[in-house]
Amino acid sequence: MGFFDILALVIPATIFLAAPLIFTALGGLFSERSGVVNIGLEGLMVIGAFTGILTTLYLEGFGFGVWSPWLSLIAAVVIGALFSLLHAVASITLKADQIVSGVALNFLAVGLSVFLVRNIFGKGQTDYVAHRISRENIPVLQDIPIIGPLFFERVYYTSFIAIAAAFIVWYVVFYTPFGLRLRSVGEHPMAADTMGIKVNRMRYIGVMLSGAFAGMGGAVFALTTAGNFAGNTIVGQGFMALAALIFGKWHPLGAFGAAIFFGLAQSLSITGQSIPLLANVPQVYLLIAPYVLTILALAGFVGKAEAPKAIGKPYEKGSR
Amino acid sequence: MIHKWLTGKATNILIPIIAVFLGILVGAIIMLFIGQNPFTGYAALINGAFGDIYYFGEMLRMMTPLILAGLAVAFAFRTGLFNIGVEGQLIVGWLASVWVGVAVEAPMFIHLPLSIAAGAIAGALWGFIPGFLKARFYVHEVIVTIMMNYVALYTANHLIRTYLLVPGERTERISTTASLASPFLQSLTDFSRLHYGFFLAIFACVVLWFVLWKTTLGYELRAVGYNKHASHYAGMNVNTNIILAMVISGGFAGVAGAMEGLGTYGYMSILSGFTGTGFDGIAVALLGANTSIGVFLAAALFGALKIGAPNMQSAAGIPPELVDIVIALIIFFVASSYLIRLVINRLQKEGK
């Protein structure tokens, strides 16, 4: 097997496995940059996947055909944002422990979605959707030698949206007034309050954006890879996205790079058996790599990852 | 955050009760929403957990790892640490206990304690890593423990697949000298899988209470949980206490895993996902307000809910996942006790 064949095997798989992670990690970035820990990303992805599949099935029934999955992505974004309100209300308004609230969100997402699936379909998983988000050849670009077949043949548009989103979020968070306010309530809420920024409102926006992005991430995974929804459709992708966010040091492009890297580790753990050099490496090393690397990054062995200063603390006016 | 939950005794008892009530109430509303009768639903649930001595035995069996996982979370909580890694510590404890149970040959009075200890040590080791990283590098234990869960899951599966595999995607059965299975308890409960581990879990409740409230170590651990800086000023070694708390917490979690390995199953399967028991332990500890008795009662409630759930499906046509929703809501309500406290305080003021 030649070098190019290996690349042709690994690169497309990496990009398409990374897309849901990119979306979700960017979502987590909004929440955590505003000072609210979001362990609930996993649950938000579950809700996104559930909404994506269910809406697609219904829209197909109404005759929307190939447009159904695309419209469902919008539905998943909206429902994801609404569902994240639970976390926002509990952890911002009711000053609940943000980690506990996130844990509860994960429980609730799986329980509620599987409960509804069982109630609607009478079994533990949904039917398969007829129209997934399809793989397309990008015109013109696919004709570029070498790069074309690797990056632009049989690809998902959602992967490119994910990559674009990373750069847009980077711009928004670091070069707009909104981004500055978001970061300021996460670093020093009292100073932000003094400057007239509504701390809790910014945090609500941060958490709801995380719900929207994670909902998108879950739906993209369900509508490209899974094709149906069950309790085990989303198993750990949300936590891996959280890891990508931390490994990327709470920076949009860092999170993007980390998500691509974790996507690579995942794709190697799947395709590794057919790659000569990796065939003898036990799969387990690739499976645990993202998590071990994140721990090492936190401990400062791979560049220090520092969280926003005010993360995890509810804001009380007048407290110091 | 945590110490707020420890003030006001009456409110402390009231909040979990109100949270459970609200959780069950919202569960009832959800049943109404899908066109079912909540009374039929909950009757089926109660019947499923207590209607038959077999299911009662299964409920006690279910409680065993829940108690230990809850104690693990509670113990760390008392020192101001959030151990989300109970799941992973449970998995490595399960594997280690089964490994010793399979590989070692010894008379029961050595073999059984040795196997349980292996589970405890493995769990403790898995808890040591986040504790050490917290103490030495100030890394938040929540993220590390989450990551350690996945490392535990994949590593355990890899070790089983490489060294211990027998047909059926699992390890060999442990030798009888390492087994907690009890023909006596089984015959009492119409051959449920109830085992002696249940008494060990009760004993662990006592141990937690004793260590936390009757020893210098416990005093220091709680002091660090209340106020790190004051403890440091008083001459306590904060870092050592953080590591110790995580090690002991992990030890409890490892024993929870040993209960599954030596008691319920007698082997370990390749896990396709998390067992969920470790995460349920978080709910148990929160609802139990991090006390021994509270953890026991909360484990009883969740054990009953989980064992009774399948009967909701068969007897009332209600998906058993309703129970998961109710548990999640209970955690939400306990966590949002700010609201409940506010209402209670308001009522008390009006009463005066």
Side-chain angles (χ1 to χ4, degrees):
Chain A
M1 185 183 264
F3 183 63
F4 183 78
D5 295 322
I6 295 173
L7 286 184
L9 199 63
V10 171
I11 289 182
T14 300
I15 295 174
F16 116 87
L17 285 166
L21 297 179
I22 296 172
F23 280 120
T24 310
L26 291 173
L29 185 128
F30 278 113
S31 171
E32 305 224 333
R33 277 285 184 173
S34 79
V36 182
V37 181
N38 203 339
I39 305 279
L41 289 176
E42 174 90 1
L44 292 166
M45 276 188 92
V46 171
I47 289 297
F50 166 75
T51 312
I53 293 294
L54 200 69
T55 321
T56 305
L57 288 170
Y58 279 121
L59 289 176
E60 281 171 350
F62 292 135
F64 280 87
V66 287
W67 287 103
S68 326
W70 291 97
L71 293 170
S72 306
L73 287 182
I74 300 171
V77 166
V78 174
I79 300 292
L82 290 177
F83 194 72
S84 70
L85 267 178
L86 281 171
H87 183 48
V89 171
S91 59
I92 301 170
T93 306
L94 299 179
K95 300 181 171 56
D97 187 310
Q98 296 171 2
I99 293 159
V100 175
S101 165
V103 169
L105 199 73
N106 290 336
F107 272 116
L108 188 63
V110 177
L112 193 63
S113 55
V114 178
F115 176 82
L116 290 173
V117 164
R118 215 180 276 281
N119 199 46
I120 296 168
F121 296 88
K123 53 184 180 177
Q125 72 269 3
T126 68
D127 300 332
Y128 278 88
V129 296
H131 303 282
R132 298 188 190 194
I133 291 170
S134 54
R135 288 173 173 246
E136 307 283 347
N137 294 327
I138 311 272
V140 186
L141 291 176
Q142 63 159 323
D143 299 328
I144 303 172
I146 303 178
I147 297 174
L150 286 182
F151 292 98
F152 300 112
E153 244 176 40
R154 290 182 41 73
V155 290
Y156 295 104
Y157 279 120
T158 44
S159 300
F160 290 103
I161 299 174
I163 295 168
F167 285 92
I168 294 169
V169 170
W170 170 62
Y171 179 79
V172 167
V173 169
F174 285 100
Y175 297 101
T176 64
F178 167 79
L180 183 64
R181 288 179 192 143
L182 187 85
R183 283 181 293 132
S184 70
V185 300
E187 294 290 336
H188 201 315
M190 200 172 57
D193 197 7
T194 315
M195 297 303 289
I197 299 167
K198 297 215 165 32
V199 174
N200 283 354
R201 187 202 281 176
M202 285 310 293
R203 289 189 168 176
Y204 263 88
I205 294 171
V207 173
M208 287 184 75
L209 280 172
S210 80
F213 273 79
M216 178 82 175
V220 165
F221 181 83
L223 289 168
T224 54
T225 309
N228 76 339
F229 177 82
N232 60 1
T233 300
I234 301 291
V235 276
Q237 289 94 331
F239 286 117
M240 194 182 271
L242 184 70
L245 174 63
I246 296 163
F247 192 57
K249 305 189 174 83
W250 286 272
H251 190 288
L253 299 183
F256 165 69
I260 292 278
F261 183 64
F262 292 173
L264 174 70
Q266 277 189 305
S267 86
L268 286 177
S269 76
I270 299 166
T271 59
Q273 300 308 315
S274 45
I275 299 173
L277 256 178
L278 287 169
N280 295 324
V281 178
Q283 204 192 11
V284 63
Y285 293 117
L286 293 163
L287 286 173
I288 65 173
Y291 308 108
V292 173
L293 283 169
T294 303
I295 293 174
L296 292 179
L298 278 166
F301 295 124
V302 202
K304 184 81 184 151
E306 271 189 71
K309 290 270 183 320
I311 201 163
K313 297 185 203 92
Y315 177 61
E316 298 192 42
K317 247 184 177 12
S319 68
R320 301 205 285 160
Chain B
M1 267 180 297
I2 293 161
H3 62 260
K4 262 196 219 159
W5 302 342
L6 305 176
T7 50
K9 269 213 166 131
T11 325
N12 269 351
I13 299 169
L14 219 57
I15 282 174
I17 294 172
I18 294 174
V20 169
F21 173 76
L22 287 176
I24 288 172
L25 187 73
V26 177
I29 294 170
I30 292 172
M31 281 192 261
L32 279 176
F33 192 70
I34 62 162
Q36 297 283 357
N37 183 344
F39 291 104
T40 324
Y42 282 131
L45 180 72
I46 293 167
N47 209 16
F50 300 101
D52 186 312
I53 188 75
Y54 169 81
Y55 289 109
F56 184 66
E58 279 290 295
M59 185 199 117
L60 296 182
R61 193 267 307 161
M62 185 89 206
M63 273 176 73
T64 308
L66 281 178
I67 290 173
L68 287 158
L71 292 176
V73 178
F75 195 87
F77 253 137
R78 288 283 181 182
T79 315
L81 300 166
F82 201 149
N83 185 3
I84 297 202
V86 171
E87 181 71 36
Q89 293 146 13
L90 185 150
I91 289 173
V92 294
W94 186 346
L95 179 65
S97 68
V98 167
W99 205 325
V100 172
V102 170
V104 174
E105 273 182 40
M108 190 165 200
F109 74 96
I110 297 173
H111 198 183
L112 181 56
L114 192 69
S115 304
I116 297 173
I121 291 168
L125 202 67
W126 222 249
F128 170 79
I129 297 170
F132 174 75
L133 292 176
K134 168 104 180 176
R136 176 74 180 76
F137 298 105
Y138 309 104
V139 183
H140 203 299
E141 74 282 3
V142 167
I143 307 294
V144 178
T145 49
I146 290 175
M147 302 301 141
M148 295 286 290
N149 284 340
Y150 286 95
V151 177
L153 176 67
Y154 293 124
T155 308
N157 281 350
H158 173 71
L159 289 176
I160 295 174
R161 202 166 278 139
T162 318
Y163 300 107
L164 298 164
L165 198 66
V166 297
E169 292 284 283
R170 64 180 181 85
T171 69
E172 245 177 271
R173 193 165 270 286
I174 53 167
S175 26
T176 45
T177 47
S179 175
L180 280 166
S182 151
F184 169 67
L185 290 175
Q186 287 172 359
S187 67
L188 269 187
T189 54
D190 200 13
F191 301 101
S192 74
R193 287 174 292 171
L194 182 61
H195 53 84
Y196 287 126
F198 181 66
F199 300 108
L200 191 73
I202 294 175
F203 176 67
C205 285
V206 179
V207 169
L208 177 108
W209 169 81
F210 184 82
V211 170
L212 272 180
W213 301 100
K214 299 291 162 196
T215 64
T216 319
L217 171 70
Y219 179 82
E220 287 200 8
L221 290 175
R222 284 183 292 121
V224 170
Y226 274 117
N227 191 333
K228 231 194 273 193
H229 306 292
S231 316
H232 182 66
Y233 190 70
M236 297 174 193
N237 190 334
V238 172
N239 285 345
T240 312
N241 277 311
I242 286 175
I243 296 176
L244 260 180
M246 282 306 290
V247 165
I248 297 173
S249 171
F252 277 115
V255 176
M259 294 303 104
E260 301 290 60
L262 307 176
T264 308
Y265 297 99
Y267 56 85
M268 183 170 185
S269 305
I270 289 180
L271 299 170
S272 61
F274 287 129
T275 63
T277 310
F279 297 118
D280 290 333
I282 299 170
V284 169
L286 282 171
L287 186 61
N290 307 318
T291 60
S292 294
I293 298 171
V295 163
F296 182 86
L297 293 175
L301 175 73
F302 290 159
L305 285 174
K306 280 175 181 293
I307 294 298
N311 196 44
M312 292 181 85
Q313 176 81 46
S314 46
I318 295 166
E321 282 77 16
L322 183 83
V323 164
D324 297 327
I325 300 177
V326 171
I327 291 179
L329 290 170
I330 291 174
I331 310 178
F332 258 123
F333 290 124
V334 174
S336 308
S337 59
Y338 181 76
L339 184 71
I340 301 177
R341 261 171 221 284
L342 211 67
V343 175
I344 292 175
N345 284 343
R346 190 65 54 81
L347 289 177
Q348 277 173 345
K349 269 180 197 156
E350 279 174 9
K352 281 174 189 169

